[in-house]
Amino acid sequence: MASTKVWLAASFASVGAFMFGFDTGSIGSIIVMTQFNESGFMLSPTLQGVVVAMILITSTISGVCSGILADKISRIFTMSLGAAIFCAGSVIECVSLDLVCILVGRGIAGVGEGFFLPIIAVYCVEISPATSRGRVTSIVQIAVTVGIAAGFFCCYGTVHLDSSFAWRIPFLIQALLALLYAIGCPFILPFSPRWLWMKGKRSKAEEVMQLLRKQGDNDESVHIEEWEVVGDDGEERSRIRDMFKKDVRKRTLLACFFMGMNQLSGIDGILYYAPVLFAQAGLSASSSKFLASGVSGLLNVAVTIVCTPFMDRMGRRISTIIGGIAMGCIICIIASIYAAGAGSGGGRWVIIVCLYLFLVAFGSTWALTTRVYASEIQPLHNRAAVSSIANSCNQGVNTLVALTFPVFLDSTTTGPYWLFMGCLFTTSMIAWMYMPETKGRSLASIEQVFTKKAPGLNLGMKAVAFLQ
């Protein structure tokens, strides 16, 4: 079991995930505020997508470099640097007088987000014992969902203000949080013992290990000799081309695939544009749309918290398969109702309930497994670098969804839902065929899963022989 110090360190590290969630939950509400429009920001569906996606575009680019940077200067200094840049961008957004300033601010904030966001999960994985790694790392997703709910309700509270402070306050809150996070990371968080070990600072790694250990614990967090060991060239091997070498190629592709498909589930289309979707379903009043969005945020938080203790029992593979099938079926119901022209009257309430059920299904499965799995299956010398590349895939697909979803939805009511349904079923099939289970395994023993035909890899092995 993880010690209290591990839980506290993971909780503070996840403040960065809260900031990401807060922006996700607030920006969709901000761009449809009357006060935002009255400030000179009359946005078409295309421009709405551009404003939402700008932070994702730059975070995708900077995220490619974050893993290598984290291997060079440490996990905590990378998170601190990213938070400082995110703070600067949020300040620019807060004081913006025109659309150009908003876009510049979101672009700068995205650079910082790309630095800290993928490294948070890496840090939590590396300080956690095998028996509770899933639960500890799930704090990251809990922070994201709490941030999303906070963003929704912050906008629900400020929408009643008559001035531009209605949309400036959420950006101000982001800036203050980022400043505290940037300052706090170097002083509050211990270095990752695995990073210290990789850098050859083994006595310091032992010291941090003892700091994080739980009295009487006998698992991998106590015995440094049982951890993954890299040679003196460990740091030099963290290069992009090494992520696609024969022995790690499969893991890199799995991480990138699952992180990308996580966004093509439709979750961020729903979270970013919740007010738009609830308006489409028949909730017309501005406050009603924001309240419904806030309720969806709270539901997301509740489901994530309730399901987190069971994550290390159910397993990553089965959660991914069942979650994809359940979400695909729910999305199919929504699309079918719209396709049949039954979206008014009683049909709209079925749609609203289905949107909430989708959040329940996502929050109890994919939300808890994807980031953990993408990070824990990587070898130590590649973990930060591959996690950053996988996160860039996540953010890149997220960018496409944010840019195209409002335009897509404006041109066809059912199109986005059919697309998401197809992606969900496809991902479940790939997980059934090629995704090995990792629950309860030490990071070192996970290496063995990918060197033999473990459950989930046997089926269809010939079809992916080129990955070998």
Side-chain angles (χ1 to χ4, degrees):
M1 297 293 291
S3 69
T4 301
K5 291 179 181 178
V6 168
W7 286 105
L8 291 176
S11 297
F12 186 82
S14 296
V15 171
F18 176 91
M19 296 189 300
F20 167 74
F22 189 89
D23 180 81
T24 299
S26 62
I27 190 61
S29 298
I30 287 173
I31 60 177
V32 297
M33 281 185 181
T34 303
Q35 298 90 329
F36 189 71
N37 295 329
E38 291 175 349
S39 298
F41 304 103
M42 294 294 293
L43 304 180
S44 65
T46 300
L47 284 178
Q48 287 181 357
V50 171
V51 170
V52 170
M54 181 56 69
I55 195 171
L56 304 173
I57 294 171
T58 52
S59 68
T60 300
I61 298 171
S62 63
V64 174
C65 308
S66 64
I68 296 175
L69 183 64
D71 284 341
K72 293 285 186 181
I73 68 172
S74 82
R75 312 329 190 195
I76 61 176
F77 284 132
T78 301
M79 292 188 290
S80 181
L81 173 63
I85 298 173
F86 186 88
C87 176
S90 297
V91 169
I92 294 174
E93 290 178 273
C94 181
V95 301
S96 293
L97 298 176
D98 55 40
L99 183 60
V100 173
C101 287
I102 288 283
L103 293 176
V104 169
R106 289 189 66 73
I108 293 174
V111 173
E113 183 177 282
F115 282 149
F116 68 72
L117 188 60
I119 305 305
I120 296 172
V122 173
Y123 179 80
C124 291
V125 163
E126 292 186 343
I127 65 172
S128 307
T131 53
S132 54
R133 186 171 59 246
R135 280 167 288 166
V136 171
T137 310
S138 292
I139 293 178
V140 178
Q141 183 58 32
I142 292 175
V144 171
T145 57
V146 171
I148 291 170
F152 282 145
F153 277 104
C154 178
C155 291
Y156 176 67
T158 61
V159 73
H160 301 291
L161 300 177
D162 293 329
S163 67
S164 65
F165 281 105
W167 60 268
R168 295 185 193 276
I169 288 176
F171 291 134
L172 177 61
I173 292 173
Q174 284 182 197
L176 292 175
L177 280 173
L179 179 62
L180 293 174
Y181 189 59
I183 295 173
C185 280
F187 295 100
I188 295 175
L189 298 178
F191 286 101
S192 162
R194 286 185 173 85
W195 177 80
L196 292 168
W197 183 267
M198 183 181 71
K199 302 295 284 187
K201 302 178 181 179
R202 301 189 177 185
S203 61
K204 180 65 176 176
E206 293 275 7
E207 181 182 329
V208 174
M209 177 199 67
Q210 293 298 326
L211 175 68
L212 296 175
R213 69 174 293 181
K214 184 175 183 179
Q215 191 67 35
D217 217 344
N218 291 315
D219 62 21
E220 65 169 345
S221 64
V222 178
H223 301 294
I224 194 75
E225 64 271 13
E226 294 181 5
W227 291 5
E228 300 150 295
V229 180
V230 296
D232 294 334
D233 64 337
E235 179 183 354
E236 299 301 320
R237 292 184 63 188
S238 184
R239 295 170 297 194
I240 290 181
R241 69 171 177 266
D242 293 319
M243 304 175 200
F244 296 94
K245 285 186 175 180
K246 183 178 179 180
D247 59 333
V248 296
R249 186 187 308 153
K250 184 185 301 178
R251 283 174 273 184
T252 300
L253 293 178
L254 278 174
C256 291
F257 175 79
F258 286 121
M259 287 290 281
M261 296 305 284
N262 192 59
Q263 301 310 114
L264 282 177
S265 67
I267 185 61
D268 272 355
I270 292 175
L271 294 177
Y272 278 129
Y273 300 107
V276 176
L277 293 178
F278 284 119
Q280 182 191 49
L283 295 181
S284 57
S286 178
S287 58
S288 296
K289 290 183 292 187
F290 290 156
L291 179 59
S293 301
V295 171
S296 68
L298 285 180
L299 183 62
N300 204 11
V301 173
V303 170
T304 304
I305 292 176
V306 169
C307 294
T308 292
F310 303 99
M311 182 180 174
D312 285 311
R313 299 180 187 178
M314 187 174 185
R316 287 45 152 170
R317 183 171 180 265
I318 192 67
S319 293
T320 302
I321 295 170
I322 292 177
I325 294 173
M327 288 185 285
C329 291
I330 293 169
I331 289 293
C332 182
I333 293 172
I334 296 175
S336 299
I337 291 174
Y338 278 129
S344 59
R348 71 174 182 174
W349 295 111
V350 175
I351 292 172
I352 292 172
V353 170
C354 282
L355 288 174
Y356 285 139
L357 288 176
F358 179 88
L359 290 174
V360 171
F362 182 85
S364 60
T365 56
W366 286 22
L368 297 174
T369 59
T370 306
R371 290 185 186 277
V372 177
Y373 189 80
S375 182
E376 69 183 355
I377 64 175
Q378 309 304 330
L380 176 59
H381 63 269
N382 273 346
R383 183 171 298 124
V386 174
S387 295
S388 66
I389 294 294
N391 191 75
S392 289
C393 290
N394 179 279
Q395 294 291 69
V397 175
N398 200 354
T399 301
L400 292 176
V401 172
L403 279 172
T404 61
F405 188 79
V407 180
F408 199 3
L409 196 65
D410 190 52
S411 61
T412 169
T413 306
T414 60
Y417 296 107
W418 294 127
L419 172 64
F420 295 145
M421 183 194 72
C423 292
L424 286 161
F425 287 146
T426 299
T427 304
S428 292
M429 181 182 69
I430 295 298
W432 177 61
M433 295 174 67
Y434 308 127
M435 182 180 183
E437 184 56 75
T438 59
K439 71 169 183 177
R441 292 180 176 269
S442 68
L443 295 179
S445 70
I446 289 175
E447 290 285 324
Q448 301 171 7
V449 176
F450 287 90
T451 58
K452 64 180 181 180
K453 294 185 177 181
L457 278 180
N458 293 335
L459 184 60
M461 185 65 74
K462 293 182 180 179
V464 287
F466 69 96
L467 294 178
Q468 303 294 337

